């Protein structure tokens, strides 16, 4: 099936649909967003200017029931970092776009300020809709209204009030199989890029559409086989479904790497109350849902539906990074509180991680006391209200650090770290420092590596390889949580590519593709003004020993500087 | 007289005085601050971290009564731009430091948070003083208290509340001959660097000190000759004393380059009310003082003492850049209002220019209406109060633009432009884009050039040469306002260097020195992560035609990229 690329010019110059050009034919997800941006976006443009390109692309393998292979990528020049950005999420959008034969939506230009538009995508084609009645509305209300207007089964991608206000930490929210808008394209401010264009939502109606894999029978067999293998593995088959991503929290805490009170400690006295065990007990005893799949076909089902003591829905999927940064990092040890904050952030449409990091910085700056839940809740509400303080918080941790005159700010390239302190888990320090995306754990989550996380000398090779692998997975649209099965048995990945697309790529070739995409991203950043000076952790992490294990970040600088010394020549095209 | 360098370690490791090393012997002012920083400061350090070095240095020629040759430089890694910063000012501090034989004060380390220290410099040596009783106090009150405690004739360099709060736009204030703290080391946040170190003030008592120029008799003769020539020139002898720096306002307005309402227009309907004529009339009719000299010996006397209708002092020297950015750029056309805002900024210790630019951005963002004086006054007061909004404003125009999601932000390298729109006065666009300091008109104020300001093709050579000249002047400590006499007759400069220091430098050699210092600054920035991508004006100025003359910034990109193609090799040492 020939895939299509849809070009939408929001300045009023219409919509153009064309066949995916030959040189993009074997790209999806991150590979497609980053390649498009590297080729077409002026690296010196302002991220909120009309010339910034917003690309939304399902992973190359999306559209089938293959477990954990329906991830959606979005990319642009980031308002937060000023560099290239790809964020990916679960939800149903990628699956539905792929079924409609769409390889990418590319948004250019900008509607006149004040317009609030939706793009409806269906078998009938693509059409812009006036969504003025939803201007300024929260993401939950927007999702409900759009499902009411366009049908309960549409998939949605939504910018919240934060995006409309063009805040640097605004995310895009994607609906899950139940229609809850809670799977976030979280990082780097892609919601603000949408907001600057006047794009409130993408509505995807795949009614009547069908995805035809290259080899339907073999695909069916692979879907069964892959699901069985994931279910058979103790992590993907048992721990993830039961404890969700929070399963890692006590481990990170034990390693002394759980960001606590603005990264001033690596273990939190209230960690038990935030643990995967506690999450499971709480959800299961209250009649919430664990083992929830965020994407069609997923058997890992690390997602959940968190409920309050009365069993009433609070938020779709309370996850580790959110728990770490809105919990321990703010001195909060109560899952109910974190869930409420998560819901608020989701509704406003801001990245929970950046928000937690920003608030941690402000607490250190003296704006409020760590552990003051009502104040944290009020402050997050201010983001949605667009008060000056809310806008400062919505500008991210680096902006808050600047405003409060602090040099203890846990960011790289202007983006906050995830819920792993890189002094204790040093491989993540490499990932934070070197990812073209800024401090982004999903670029290469070294917590999964077999190497000693505290040994500064053994990280380079392993982390680098992880970046190649993850970039390949992000391009295919395969969830990185499959890694213990898929990366351990890359013939499964080869097989998936072959039966779904017909492309007989070896795993080595797919890794080469990952490398090439990383170099393209890196090239964009270089032209946007990034140098080795930006591939560094904040200075305080090099000199301030992190309790309780008194670690500093001591990976040799030479390792940082040589990270991209791989296959450099001829890798851009 | 062998000059001394004083090293002050505020972390508690004492004060060390040493003779100026041979290789710095012929450097002063900007040459000395920038060379020290380029050699000693880790370009990757956080500007507010203890390892950032703050250097204060009188110009090489300071200490005599030579007109306009007693300027003071301060430098550090800038909290605003992240690059090297030199700011210079008038006042008495450079004169007094030079008389005490001090070539530079170099501050390292940081006192424990909460300490508030002063450095007292006198013939008896240097001593740290506890100034805890002045913590959080405004600059005027601080100056008064310090003069009371240390003597009415001391020279002062003071950080205000903004500096103590470590805001990126905090300045350092220097007292003028009457002891009014109003000569600002304004740009780039040097007050925050002092604040982060716990340094509230430098108190300079030159009682009993004497400066011995190399050739005292020839120096006396030169002082007379230079003064006579400055007085004989119509600009330095008549216009500057009468109209002050505001003499340029109507000219800039006529060129269509006066920033109006966040750089959305280049001429302001209320310009007459802000003009040099109006300033002169107002001050003279009310019994204020025009033709005030900000430095010992200055005969240009472009400074003034602005008074209210009752003749009561408001602010020492209302100047063009302040009038442009706190006036026209905010839609305010009343000098009394601008003077009041100027006084407020001075007391808080923030850069008036960056504050005006930041407020212009916030007005465009919808926080308040252009022209709303009471609101502007309240907002500036919030800076001093350290409210969240005040801290956002104190973070500068770029931070405000980020918070309010705007792409029309008049900054380069994170620093706001001065009161010349570079679309109409294109040479200033080169200066803004290329100065290592960010958008800093004093790096090369092209308004003084004889070339057509609207012709994009004739700026490069002239502006580049201006940067060399100004860098040399900043090193010698000669005010750039002497340019019409000193740069037109460089033998006067050669003579000044010879009779005061004994160095028989030719003007060509001094220009070489200027080039070398620019390359050192550029080298620091390169290592701090700056590239050609940062040598650009904001995109909106390239596409948005500026009323009334409908100019865009169209200096060829190749000119920007070749600006530093001069004497590159071997110029660093």
């Amino acid at each position: 099936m020939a895939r299509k690329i849809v070009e939408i010019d929001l300045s009023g110059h219409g919509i153009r649909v064309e066949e995916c050009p030959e040189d993009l034919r074997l790209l999806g997800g991150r590979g497609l967003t980053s390649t498009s941006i590297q080729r077409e976006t002026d690296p010196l443009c302002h991220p909120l200017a009309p010339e910034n390109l917003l690309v939304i692309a399902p992973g190359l393998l999306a559209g089938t029931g293959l477990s954990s292979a329906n991830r959606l990528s979005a990319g642009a020049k980031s308002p937060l970092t000023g560099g290239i950005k790809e964020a990916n999420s679960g939800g149903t959008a990628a699956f539905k776009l792929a079924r409609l034969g769409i390889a990418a939506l590319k948004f250019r230009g900008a509607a006149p300020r004040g317009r609030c538009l939706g793009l409806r995508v269906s078998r009938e084609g693509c059409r812009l809709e006036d969504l003025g009645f939803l201007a300024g509305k929260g993401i939950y209300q927007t999702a409900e209204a759009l499902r009411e207007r366009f049908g309960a089964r549409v998939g949605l991608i939504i910018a919240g009030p934060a995006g409309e206000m063009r805040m640097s930490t605004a995310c895009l929210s994607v609906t899950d199989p139940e229609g809850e808008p809670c799977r976030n394209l979280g990082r780097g401010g892609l919601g603000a890029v949408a907001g600057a264009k006047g794009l409130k939502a993408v509505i995807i109606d795949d009614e009547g559409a069908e995805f035809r894999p290259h080899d339907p029978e073999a695909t069916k067999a692979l879907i069964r086989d892959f699901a069985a293998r994931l279910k058979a593995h103790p992590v993907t088959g048992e721990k993830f479904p039961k404890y969700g991503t929070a399963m890692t929290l006590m481990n990170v805490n034990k390693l002394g790497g759980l960001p606590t009170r603005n990264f001033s400690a690596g273990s939190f006295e209230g960690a038990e109350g935030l643990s995967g065990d506690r999450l499971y007990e709480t959800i299961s005893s209250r009649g919430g849902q664990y083992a929830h799949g965020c994407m069609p076909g997923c058997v890992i089902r690390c997602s959940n539906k968190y409920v309050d003591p009365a069993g009433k829905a609070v938020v779709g999927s309370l996850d580790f990074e959110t728990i770490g940064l809105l919990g321990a990092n703010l001195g909060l040890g109560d899952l109910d509180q974190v869930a409420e904050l998560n819901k608020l952030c989701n509704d406003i449409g801001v990245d929970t991680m950046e928000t937690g990091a920003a608030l941690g910085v402000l607490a250190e700056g003296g704006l409020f006391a760590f552990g003051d839940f009502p104040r944290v809740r009020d402050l997050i509400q201010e983001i949605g209200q667009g008060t000056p303080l809310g806008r400062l918080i919505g500008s991210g941790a680096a902006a808050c650090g600047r405003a409060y005159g602090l040099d203890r700010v846990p960011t790289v390239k202007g983006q906050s770290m995830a819920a792993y302190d890189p002094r204790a888990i040093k491989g993540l320090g490499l990932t934070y420092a070197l990812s073209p995306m800024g401090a982004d754990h999903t670029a290469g989550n070294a917590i999964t590596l077999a190497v000693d996380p505290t040994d500064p000398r053994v990280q380079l090779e392993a982390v680098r390889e992880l970046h190649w692998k993850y970039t390949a997975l992000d391009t295919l649209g395969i969830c990185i949580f499959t890694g213990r099965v898929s990366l351990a048995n890359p013939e499964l990945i080869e097989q998936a590519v072959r039966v779904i697309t017909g492309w007989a790529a070896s795993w080595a070739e797919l890794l080469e593709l990952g490398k090439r995409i990383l170099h393209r991203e890196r090239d964009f950043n270089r032209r946007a003004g990034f140098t080795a000076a930006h591939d560094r952790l904040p200075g305080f992490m090099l000199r301030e020993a992190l309790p309780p294990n008194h670690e500093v970040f001591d990976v040799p600088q030479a390792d940082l500087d040589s990270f991209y010394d791989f296959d450099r020549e001829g890798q851009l095209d």
Side-chain angles (χ1 to χ4, degrees), chain A:
Chain A
M1 185 166 68
R3 298 186 307 155
K4 288 166 289 185
I5 291 195
V6 185
E7 301 250 5
I8 306 101
D9 187 328
L10 289 156
S11 300
H13 301 297
I15 297 173
R16 209 162 37 122
V17 182
E18 46 191 43
E19 289 224 343
C20 193
E22 182 58 27
D23 60 339
L24 302 179
R25 207 173 50 82
L26 298 172
L27 287 178
R30 176 174 174 179
L32 194 44
T33 62
S34 289
T35 301
S36 301
I37 292 161
Q38 187 251 349
R39 292 184 185 172
E40 300 176 39
T41 302
D42 175 1
L44 300 182
C45 79
H46 193 291
L48 301 178
E51 56 261 48
N52 197 9
L53 182 68
L54 175 66
V55 190
I56 294 177
L60 184 68
L61 303 184
T64 81
L66 184 66
S67 180
S68 324
N70 277 299
R71 287 189 75 78
L72 180 74
S73 288
K77 177 169 176 173
S78 165
L80 188 66
T81 69
I84 199 167
K85 172 56 66 178
E86 183 262 3
N88 61 66
S89 79
T92 66
F95 177 79
K96 289 174 187 287
L97 283 171
R99 281 163 54 90
L100 289 162
I102 290 172
L105 303 172
K106 289 162 71 172
F107 297 92
R108 301 175 189 279
R113 186 62 67 85
R115 289 300 302 277
C116 184
L117 299 174
L119 179 77
R120 180 168 178 271
V121 186
S122 71
R123 279 218 304 172
E124 287 78 51
C126 295
R127 201 173 68 208
L128 286 172
E129 305 270 350
D130 180 13
L131 300 182
F133 71 108
L134 292 174
K137 295 288 187 289
I139 282 188
Y140 291 93
Q141 186 184 338
T142 299
E144 206 180 305
L146 291 174
R147 283 152 42 87
E148 200 167 292
R149 174 174 287 203
F150 296 104
R153 291 169 58 189
V154 296
L156 300 170
I157 305 167
I158 305 172
E164 293 179 73
M165 289 187 275
R166 304 171 305 281
M167 291 180 183
S168 298
T169 66
C171 62
L172 288 169
S173 179
V174 182
T175 45
D176 72 4
E178 289 75 39
E180 183 177 352
C182 59
R183 310 309 314 183
N184 290 335
L185 300 154
R187 311 222 69 197
L190 296 175
V193 179
K197 295 186 177 310
L199 180 70
K200 176 75 176 171
V202 179
I203 303 116
I204 309 155
D205 179 355
D206 64 338
E207 185 71 36
E210 201 188 338
F211 182 86
R212 286 177 48 95
H214 174 74
D215 183 338
E217 285 313 308
T219 299
K220 273 188 209 161
L222 175 70
I223 289 172
R224 280 192 302 271
D225 179 37
F226 194 52
R229 291 197 189 215
L230 288 168
K231 285 182 182 166
H233 191 284
V235 173
T236 50
E238 290 167 34
K239 285 194 165 181
F240 262 128
K242 195 165 170 188
Y243 306 112
T245 51
M247 73 172 179
T248 200
L249 191 137
M250 290 309 289
N251 180 37
V252 173
N253 192 61
K254 201 172 112 195
L255 290 170
L258 185 66
T260 301
R261 298 184 181 84
N262 192 34
F263 290 74
S264 64
S267 80
F268 179 46
E269 71 280 4
E272 293 279 2
L274 299 173
S275 66
D277 279 340
R278 182 65 61 86
L279 182 71
Y280 167 70
E281 286 157 22
T282 306
I283 292 179
S284 58
S285 70
R286 292 175 178 178
Q289 188 180 357
Y290 57 93
H292 172 263
C294 82
M295 292 185 286
C298 180
V299 299
I300 299 181
R301 297 166 299 147
C302 69
S303 170
N304 60 62
K305 298 281 186 184
Y306 194 87
V307 293
D308 71 9
K312 194 169 154 258
V314 178
V315 70
S317 213
L318 191 51
D319 278 303
F320 168 68
E321 305 298 338
T322 300
I323 296 172
L325 287 163
L326 286 174
N329 192 49
L330 301 182
L332 297 174
D334 181 331
L335 284 176
D336 282 344
Q337 293 180 344
V338 176
E340 189 177 340
L341 302 177
N342 190 351
K343 171 75 180 280
L344 264 180
C345 287
N346 279 5
D347 195 37
I348 295 162
V350 281
D351 180 10
T352 55
M353 296 162 66
E354 191 74 37
T355 302
L359 290 169
V361 168
L362 291 176
E364 169 149 338
L367 183 70
F368 65 97
F370 287 109
D372 183 348
F373 169 71
R375 190 70 204 283
V376 169
R377 186 180 48 197
D378 290 350
L379 288 170
I380 294 177
Q381 275 164 342
E382 287 207 36
I383 306 176
Q385 292 153 2
T387 67
L389 177 52
R391 283 181 175 275
L392 176 62
I393 301 168
S395 297
C400 292
R402 173 183 291 272
Y404 280 75
L406 303 172
D407 66 332
R408 293 189 74 265
V409 183
T411 58
V412 178
K413 300 182 178 70
Q415 181 175 277
S416 82
M417 295 177 185
Y420 313 88
D421 195 304
R423 288 168 285 187
I425 305 163
K426 297 184 197 292
L428 268 153
L430 275 173
T431 287
Y432 291 157
L434 274 311
S435 167
M437 307 297 160
D440 198 339
H441 68 295
T442 65
N445 193 344
I447 192 85
T448 62
L449 293 173
V451 301
D452 174 1
T454 65
D455 184 342
R457 313 217 156 251
V458 299
Q459 308 298 328
L460 174 64
E461 299 294 334
V463 172
R464 184 152 63 185
E465 203 181 322
L466 204 58
H467 281 230
W468 305 340
K469 291 174 177 171
Y470 278 21
T471 308
L473 292 183
D474 291 344
T475 297
L476 300 174
I478 298 176
C479 179
I480 55 179
F481 294 161
T482 63
R484 284 174 179 84
V485 171
S486 63
L487 296 177
N489 304 281
E491 70 281 5
L492 287 171
I493 300 174
E494 295 171 349
Q495 202 181 337
V497 172
R498 195 170 57 244
V499 300
I500 294 175
T501 74
W503 178 25
S506 69
W507 178 230
E509 285 173 307
L510 293 168
L511 283 185
E512 286 303 311
L513 179 65
K515 294 182 196 178
R516 200 150 58 227
I517 291 159
L518 278 164
H519 278 305
R520 286 175 189 160
E521 293 169 347
R522 182 96 171 155
D523 172 68
F524 182 90
N525 279 3
R526 182 186 57 72
R527 291 183 289 127
F530 287 85
T531 73
H534 303 96
D535 297 337
R536 294 287 183 273
L537 298 192
F540 82 91
M541 289 187 163
L542 277 61
R543 58 172 191 266
E544 188 187 283
L546 179 70
N549 296 340
H550 306 293
E551 293 279 353
V552 295
F553 184 72
D554 51 2
V555 170
Q557 188 173 308
D559 284 10
L560 300 179
D561 288 335
S562 63
F563 192 86
Y564 280 91
D565 290 348
F566 56 84
D567 306 331
R568 213 176 237 164
E569 298 306 316
Q571 283 285 311
L572 290 181
D573 293 304

